[in-house]
Amino acid sequence: MSPNMSATHSTPQPAVQSPIEKVVLIPGFCEPRFLLWPLQHSLRRHCDDVSLWRDRMVFRNLDSSVARLSTLLKEPRSGGSIALVTHSFGDWVARRAIAQCQSHPVSALVSIAPVFRAGLVPTLLHQTTCNLIPEVAVMGDPVRASCHSHLDQHVRRLVIWATVDAYVRPVNFDVAPLPKVHRLTGTHMSVAMQPNSLRLIEQFLFSTNASV
């Protein structure tokens, strides 16, 4: 992805199979849960079931985190679909969980400043701590950090990058269907709370406007 990208890809997304009945917000590494409270409040205007995924902020058992989320995705549902909205390292957990499910109800994945390539801060952390911190060990390994970058075609995707981000670096998506991609003025943390981000996510998940 070019550094100055600000528009969305025009590649059409697959239609949602069923209405979204549940939204799960998945925080990132060392991230306080209140960071996603504004987003939770915003999305509750459209969906009654908007929950914050509970996990350790750091020193997670990554396999256990992925397995627990996969279990949630496999739970029997009444027919509605699930939307996952992630921030930073939470996206890595979500992508792995989706990939582990042969069949899942996820119809949309919103990735806010997702981990695919490490920025300056995790790179320095990895150099000083090596593989002591599981999350940093993943971010410091380009192959592991970018795993499952391409999901099945039934998952609509929105990716939001911040213009000032010392934690992650943008990547190119070159396999169809391409995500909708937006680059917003902000930082790694602020982009998860900014009004323009919240509006964009609301419109993507709940609007019938395909150009969002």
Side-chain angles (χ1 to χ4, degrees), residues 20-110:
I20 294 170
E21 70 170 17
K22 181 179 182 67
V23 180
V24 182
L25 310 181
I26 307 176
F29 168 65
C30 282
E31 182 176 309
R33 292 167 58 84
F34 66 76
L35 186 77
L36 297 181
W37 285 354
L39 179 58
Q40 184 180 34
H41 176 75
S42 172
L43 295 179
R44 277 180 172 164
R45 293 196 292 247
H46 307 273
C47 179
D48 292 334
D49 189 353
V50 181
S51 61
L52 271 166
W53 176 247
R54 293 188 175 274
D55 206 348
R56 299 185 65 172
M57 292 174 60
V58 64
F59 291 112
R60 290 174 247 214
N61 180 320
L62 299 181
D63 289 338
S64 175
S65 293
V66 171
R68 288 194 302 110
L69 184 55
S70 294
T71 298
L72 182 146
L73 299 182
K74 294 173 184 175
E75 290 178 354
R77 310 206 64 78
S78 62
S81 66
I82 296 177
L84 302 181
V85 183
T86 71
H87 183 241
S88 193
F89 193 80
D91 196 69
W92 184 87
V93 176
R95 297 193 318 260
R96 277 199 59 196
I98 293 172
Q100 285 191 6
C101 298
Q102 292 184 347
S103 178
H104 61 78
V106 178
S107 62
L109 172 64
V110 176

Side-chain angles (χ1 to χ4, degrees), residues 133-187:
I133 305 173
E135 297 89 344
V136 174
V138 169
M139 290 186 278
D141 182 336
V143 175
R144 292 182 70 192
S146 61
C147 74
H148 306 299
S149 58
H150 306 297
L151 303 176
D152 66 71
Q153 63 179 352
H154 302 295
V155 180
R156 297 187 303 131
R157 297 181 67 183
L158 170 66
V159 177
I160 300 174
W161 301 110
T163 55
V164 181
D165 198 327
Y167 292 87
V168 300
R169 290 186 290 165
V171 298
N172 291 313
F173 296 94
D174 55 7
V175 174
L178 296 177
K180 303 283 187 180
V181 178
H182 288 259
R183 188 176 178 89
L184 302 182
T185 300
T187 67

Side-chain angles (χ1 to χ4, degrees), residues 38-39 42-43 45-46 110 158 160 182 184 191-207 212:
L39 179 58
S42 172
L43 295 179
R45 293 196 292 247
H46 307 273
V110 176
L158 170 66
I160 300 174
H182 288 259
L184 302 182
V191 76
M193 301 181 288
Q194 296 171 186
N196 56 347
S197 294
L198 304 187
R199 287 193 299 269
L200 187 62
I201 294 167
E202 283 186 69
Q203 292 167 4
F204 177 77
L205 293 179
F206 299 105
S207 173
V212 173

